[in-house]
Amino acid sequence: MGIIWTILVGLVVGVIAKFLHPGKEDLGLIMTSLLGIAGSVVASFLGQFLGIYHAGQGAGFIGAIVGAVLILFAYTKLKNR
């Protein structure tokens, strides 16, 4: 059940990140879900590096959205190159 919950939350985070990031990304449903999950992972590692989170502590919902927007920003910069 934990994997299904992670995928659903990742999908919601990915959709919110796509709404916040300007421009058009051709990402389907699966890639949007993976974007949200990766955003959470990036936010967790970045937060632990900056001392916001403790080791083993995951990022919150807002942190996951910020991480996903950062990934989308990097994706569009690399795609436009």
Side-chain angles (χ1 to χ4, degrees), residues 48-60:
Q48 288 174 10
F49 178 74
L50 295 175
I52 299 170
Y53 303 118
H54 300 291
Q57 185 180 9

Side-chain angles (χ1 to χ4, degrees), residues 3 5 19 21-22 26-27 31 34 44 53 68 70-71 73:
I3 293 173
W5 182 249
F19 279 128
H21 187 267
D26 294 325
L27 300 176
M31 289 304 291
L34 290 176
S44 294
Y53 303 118
L70 288 174
I71 292 173
F73 180 75

Side-chain angles (χ1 to χ4, degrees), residues 15-35:
V15 167
I16 292 172
K18 284 176 66 173
F19 279 128
L20 292 176
H21 187 267
K24 179 162 173 44
E25 303 86 18
D26 294 325
L27 300 176
L29 187 66
I30 294 173
M31 289 304 291
T32 301
S33 181
L34 290 176
L35 169 71

